[in-house]
Amino acid sequence: MFFKAEHAIQIIKRSLGLANVYRDSSFNTANGSTAGQISSRDRTWAFAGTASDPEGQLNRIEFRCDNCDNSGSGPNQTNGNTWSLTRTDMAGQNDVYFVAYDNLNQNAASRHLDLRIDLAPPVTTVSFNNEANPANWPTWFTAPVTVRLHADDGNTGRARSGVSQVRYRLDNGGWQTVSGSDASFLVTTDGSHSVEYYALDNVGNQESSRTVNFQIDQTPPSPLSGVVETHSVISGQWQRVHNVATFTWGASSDPTSGVWGYQLYFGEDPN
């Protein structure tokens, strides 16, 4: 049997396990990106790369995922010098790379991709004058109210992209956008107020908007008018006919919280 010299050298190298099997193990893109770390909310990922074997013995390229929260589903291997592989339903933090094999199972690994898939929206809490417990909010505030919104981002496994912005609007007005996880503003006007708010994280997960209501009344009722004692007792004079005083007066008014009641004092006003 006749062999060319280079074929004989190649066979000898393989029999000795010395072949330089895989010179190029390139994992090029993930959904078109070449970054080494990706944060996203996409769950379907198309990976692509190139592979070569100096002896033309490339067998397969295997998908690998180390320390993975959820590597999803789909094929675990592909082949070809220009290859692609798609995984679906991925989530959390995943260390993705690929390993190329030749026909002798000799292999070489590609670069690693730190893929972070965050599916959880932020959660925003609201406080009035530094009180975050609604059970401790008064029915009516009697001073200006500082509204504070604080958002914490949710996580999917170990993936958490962080809060990008907080959005709110007061009394159905225009939406206000504040970068970061905190927003605050002061409300000074009497009356009933509503605050609608939500937050977004850095990969676009959006919290469902919520609305909170509160009321401010900084103005006292109008003064009493026309106070009289109904028995025609003269003010400042001693008398011995009536020992039960009866008073009438013109009612006070309050346009916000309303008049709660009246208090009668004998002597100096304690206020």
Side-chain angles (χ1 to χ4, degrees):
M1 183 179 293
F2 175 76
F3 292 95
K4 290 186 178 180
E6 63 266 24
H7 291 171
I9 293 171
Q10 185 179 48
I11 292 172
I12 292 170
K13 286 173 67 180
R14 285 195 175 276
S15 67
L16 294 176
L18 299 176
N20 183 13
V21 177
Y22 193 70
R23 291 177 179 165
D24 182 12
S25 175
S26 296
F27 164 27
N28 296 336
T29 63
N31 281 3
S33 173
T34 60
Q37 177 180 310
I38 300 175
S39 294
S40 175
R41 60 195 296 261
D42 294 333
R43 302 201 66 186
T44 298
W45 286 85
F47 306 105
T50 58
S52 63
D53 182 88
E55 297 158 2
Q57 300 296 317
L58 181 65
N59 181 275
R60 67 191 184 279
I61 297 94
E62 292 187 358
F63 169 81
R64 297 288 178 86
C65 195
D66 286 350
N67 194 25
C68 288
D69 287 334
N70 185 351
S71 61
S73 60
N76 290 316
Q77 68 179 51
T78 185
N79 51 49
N81 295 111
T82 300
W83 58 267
S84 63
L85 183 145
T86 299
R87 303 281 296 184
T88 61
D89 299 321
M90 298 184 73
Q93 187 170 2
N94 300 277
D95 179 14
V96 175
Y97 65 102
F98 292 85
V99 179
Y101 290 85
D102 72 357
N103 290 328
L104 296 179
N105 275 335
Q106 298 178 100
N107 62 80
S110 73
R111 70 180 179 93
H112 287 234
L113 166 64
D114 183 4
L115 181 57
R116 304 179 183 187
I117 303 171
D118 178 5
L119 305 175
V123 176
T124 303
T125 56
V126 60
S127 67
F128 296 142
N129 291 344
N130 294 320
E131 177 55 68
N133 185 354
N136 295 330
W137 295 342
T139 303
W140 288 89
F141 289 90
T142 58
V145 174
T146 297
V147 181
R148 287 187 171 88
L149 303 170
H150 173 74
D152 291 302
D153 194 22
N155 63 287
T156 304
R158 293 170 294 126
R160 188 194 308 267
S161 64
V163 177
S164 170
Q165 57 188 234
V166 175
R167 295 179 179 174
Y168 69 89
R169 62 176 177 174
L170 177 65
D171 299 334
N172 294 315
W175 284 99
Q176 307 298 312
T177 300
V178 180
S179 297
S181 58
D182 294 278
S184 65
F185 54 96
L186 183 66
V187 183
T188 61
T189 55
D190 283 2
S192 298
H193 301 284
S194 66
V195 178
E196 187 177 2
Y197 61 93
Y198 65 93
L200 295 94
D201 68 14
N202 285 306
V203 295
N205 293 307
Q206 179 175 315
E207 176 185 17
S208 297
S209 67
R210 289 180 288 169
T211 300
V212 64
N213 301 298
F214 64 99
Q215 302 174 106
I216 299 175
D217 183 1
Q218 305 170 90
T219 306
S222 63
L224 300 178
S225 62
V227 180
V228 297
E229 203 287 320
T230 59
H231 299 101
S232 301
V233 172
I234 300 173
S235 178
Q237 291 187 10
W238 291 97
Q239 58 86 32
R240 60 182 182 178
V241 177
H242 300 285
N243 60 3
V244 177
T246 303
F247 298 94
T248 61
W249 55 82
S252 295
S253 63
D254 189 287
T256 46
S257 61
V259 176
W260 173 81
Y262 301 92
Q263 291 180 317
L264 177 66
Y265 299 98
F266 289 93
E268 294 183 1
D269 185 344
N271 296 317

